[in-house]
């Protein structure tokens, strides 16, 4: 049996990647491919439990504990879902993977990037996506969204910390877009334009 493909969707929150991941899954299935759509954190029973802990608005989690929880979720996800599915010839689409940890725990929380990369390699058993599609929010659109949020929420300490964090994530993905092998998509385009662009990129790797 031929090896499958591993496709990762990355980008800041609310960049539209989850909608596009679902559209891609539907198209691939209509065209006869065996597809698993999954996500991080999550994708397995254990990882979904960890997701609840990580996303709980009342939870108290230190940056390092956060890094290890995301990594624990990833290691279970890799072993239980991603590796076996690829070995069985399926197409795995993951909504987020290791770049999210570099963005959020590295740029966002300020943990050292080299240490994160080492932990990412361990947790993911060094598997590399065949394709990473990065949903990029162009500068002007990002500033517009930030301004809208500022006027809506006011600027108390927590809100400004929140905006500051969002800026760091934005910067992270801008930097990652320059890396070799990463395919950037303009997330401000229409859903249908993005869908077509995603399909073009995916066809390049699956149809040889
Ligand atoms: P989601 O809402 O896109 O599913 O992601 C949940 C949140 O978790 C999102 O704000 C990004 C964050 N996250 C990290 O901070 N580190 C990681 O390694 C991953 C996978 C997600």
């Amino acid at each position: 049996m031929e090896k499958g493909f591993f496709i990762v969707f990355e980008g800041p929150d609310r960049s539209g990647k989850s909608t596009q991941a679902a559209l891609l899954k539907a198209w691939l299935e209509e065209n006869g491919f065996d597809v698993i759509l999954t996500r991080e954190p999550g994708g397995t029973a254990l990882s979904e439990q960890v997701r609840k802990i990580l996303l709980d608005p009342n939870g108290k989690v230190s940056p390092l504990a956060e890094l290890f929880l995301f990594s624990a979720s990833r290691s279970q996800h890799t072993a239980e879902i991603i590796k076996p599915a690829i070995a069985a010839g399926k197409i795995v689409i993951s909504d987020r993977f290791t770049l999210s940890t570099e963005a959020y725990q590295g740029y966002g929380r300020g943990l050292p990037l080299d240490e994160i990369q080492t932990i990412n390699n361990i947790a993911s058993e060094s598997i590399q996506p065949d394709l990473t599609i990065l949903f990029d929010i162009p500068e002007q659109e990002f500033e517009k969204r930030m301004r809208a949020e500022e006027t809506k929420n006011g600027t108390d300490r927590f809100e400004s910390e929140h905006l500051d964090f969002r800026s760091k994530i934005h910067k992270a993905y801008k930097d990652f877009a320059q890396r070799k092998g990463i395919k950037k998509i303009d997330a401000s385009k229409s859903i249908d334009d993005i869908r077509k662009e995603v399909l073009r990129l995916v066809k390049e790797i699956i149809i040889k």
Side-chain angles (χ1 to χ4, degrees):
M1 182 180 299
E2 277 198 42
K3 180 188 150 295
F5 292 96
F6 183 29
I7 299 169
V8 170
F9 281 39
E10 280 283 0
D13 295 272
R14 287 176 289 210
S15 53
K17 62 187 171 39
S18 309
T19 306
Q20 292 294 334
L23 289 172
L24 174 62
K25 176 181 192 271
W27 184 88
L28 287 167
E29 283 178 343
E30 279 161 24
N31 286 276
F33 292 95
D34 204 347
V35 186
I36 291 195
L37 171 58
T38 184
R39 65 175 180 180
E40 289 209 350
T44 73
L46 182 143
S47 310
E48 290 292 334
Q49 290 294 326
V50 175
R51 180 182 177 93
K52 278 195 197 128
I53 296 170
L54 279 164
L55 301 189
D56 179 359
N58 302 313
K60 192 174 169 195
V61 187
S62 76
L64 256 189
E66 193 177 82
L67 170 63
F68 283 113
L69 285 169
F70 278 113
S71 305
S73 160
R74 174 163 307 130
S75 113
Q76 186 69 29
H77 189 214
T78 301
E80 190 180 325
I81 304 288
I82 303 175
K83 282 187 79 176
I86 295 171
K90 297 182 184 173
I91 299 183
V92 178
I93 308 167
S94 185
D95 188 345
R96 297 192 179 283
F97 197 54
T98 49
L99 277 189
S100 287
T101 320
E102 290 192 49
Y104 287 80
Q105 282 63 57
Y107 283 65
R109 301 283 186 230
L111 296 176
L113 274 184
D114 57 338
E115 292 180 8
I116 291 179
Q117 283 161 355
T118 302
I119 293 168
N120 275 348
N121 282 337
I122 297 169
S124 65
E125 302 179 36
S126 297
I127 55 166
Q128 299 289 333
D130 297 291
L131 172 65
T132 298
I133 301 179
L134 194 159
F135 285 65
D136 174 62
I137 303 190
E139 212 59 52
Q140 262 188 329
E141 174 67 19
F142 178 69
E143 278 163 20
K144 206 170 83 191
R145 289 186 193 190
M146 294 287 268
R147 271 198 304 276
E149 225 156 278
E150 230 169 8
T151 43
K152 204 167 59 197
N153 298 331
T155 48
D156 73 26
R157 191 165 62 85
F158 293 102
E159 284 156 2
S160 20
E161 185 171 299
H162 180 64
L163 292 180
D164 179 49
F165 190 76
R166 295 263 306 277
S167 297
K168 289 177 182 164
I169 304 309
H170 181 67
K171 161 90 171 78
Y173 282 113
K174 283 267 166 254
D175 288 354
F176 300 158
Q178 307 307 318
R179 288 189 189 172
K180 212 171 139 254
I182 306 259
K183 304 288 184 185
K184 182 172 92 169
I185 276 190
D186 179 347
S188 66
K189 288 196 174 153
S190 73
I191 291 184
D192 200 49
D193 282 350
I194 298 174
R195 189 185 63 86
K196 287 181 188 142
E197 181 63 8
V198 167
L199 280 185
R200 191 185 65 75
L201 292 170
V202 170
K203 282 180 190 165
E204 269 178 17
I205 65 156
I206 60 171
I207 301 167
K208 297 246 162 71

